[in-house]
Amino acid sequence: LVIGWSGSHSTEPYVRLLLPLLRELGRRHEFKLLVIGTGNFTADGLNVESIPWRETSEVSDHRRIDIGLYPLPNEEWVHGKSGLKALQYMALGIPTIATAVGANFRVIEDQVSGYLVRSDLEWTNCLEKLLEDADLRRDIGTKARERVEKYYSVKANASVYLDIFKAVY
C-alpha cells in the first residue's frame, strides 16, 4: 500500500509533522510513503520513495497513491489555502485524510468523502482504518470522486463561468 503526499519545498515541513506517527504505524503495517515534491525527501525508519514533481507525470504519479495525506498546521497562512491538494487526490478517487482547517471543511465531507482530523490520534486512527480495509478505501475514494464531479468540475461550474463571461462582455 502507498500512502502519498504531494507538495513543494515550502510545504514539505507539513508532511514532516506526520513522521512520528507514520513511524509508529510502520511497526504494525507495511506501507510505502510516496513523497512527490523536490525528489530528495528522506525519513529514517520509513520505506520512502521520493520523486520530483513533474507536470508531465503528475496524474500518473498521483494514481500510485492508495491513501492521500494533506497535513497542515493551524496557522493563519494555511487558512487561505484552497484545498487543492485534497481536490487533486479526490478527483482520482483517492481516499484523503486532511487536517480539519480552512477550506478543507468545504472540500471534504468528513467520514463520507474523506477524513478531517484534529489530532495525532485521529490521524493514526484514520490511517489505520484505511490501511486495514480495502473496501473502505474504495468506498471513500468513490464518494470523493463523486463529490469533486458534483461541486468542483468544469461541468458543475459551467454556468458560473458563462455568467462571468456574459457580465464582462
Side-chain angles (χ1 to χ4, degrees), residues 1-167:
L1 287 170
V2 176
I3 297 174
W5 176 88
S6 176
S8 67
H9 70 281
S10 65
T11 58
E12 190 174 282
Y14 302 164
V15 75
R16 292 193 178 281
L17 296 170
L18 299 179
L19 292 182
L21 66 92
L22 288 171
R23 286 186 183 104
E24 181 61 35
L25 274 174
R27 292 186 185 104
R28 297 188 302 274
H29 301 278
E30 191 173 325
F31 63 86
K32 177 188 288 187
L33 176 62
L34 175 62
V35 176
I36 304 166
T38 62
N40 54 18
F41 183 93
T42 61
D44 292 339
L46 285 172
N47 177 8
V48 174
E49 180 182 355
S50 177
I51 60 175
W53 178 89
R54 295 180 300 268
E55 181 180 2
T56 56
S57 64
E58 180 178 26
V59 173
S60 61
D61 291 341
H62 279 83
R63 286 188 190 279
R64 296 178 51 203
I65 298 171
D66 296 303
I67 302 167
L69 303 177
Y70 192 16
L72 294 166
N74 192 0
E75 300 172 347
E76 192 171 333
W77 170 258
V78 167
H79 291 240
K81 294 180 84 51
S82 67
L84 176 62
K85 188 183 316 285
L87 288 168
Q88 288 177 310
Y89 298 147
M90 293 167 67
L92 294 171
I94 300 167
T96 302
I97 307 171
T99 304
V101 66
N104 290 342
F105 288 105
R106 255 190 341 268
V107 172
I108 296 171
E109 186 179 0
D110 190 31
Q111 299 182 45
V112 176
S113 62
Y115 292 98
L116 295 170
V117 297
R118 292 167 178 80
S119 68
D120 285 353
L121 180 60
E122 288 181 3
W123 274 103
T124 300
N125 289 342
C126 289
L127 277 164
E128 208 138 40
K129 280 186 220 176
L130 290 170
L131 284 166
E132 293 173 352
D133 191 338
D135 291 335
L136 180 62
R137 289 193 304 273
R138 190 171 28 260
D139 185 49
I140 296 284
T142 297
K143 289 176 182 161
R145 169 79 184 183
E146 290 168 355
R147 185 169 178 82
V148 170
E149 288 175 1
K150 181 175 181 180
Y151 296 108
Y152 298 99
S153 69
V154 172
K155 182 178 178 182
N157 289 283
S159 64
V160 174
Y161 295 130
L162 290 173
D163 289 345
I164 292 169
F165 288 134
K166 288 175 187 174

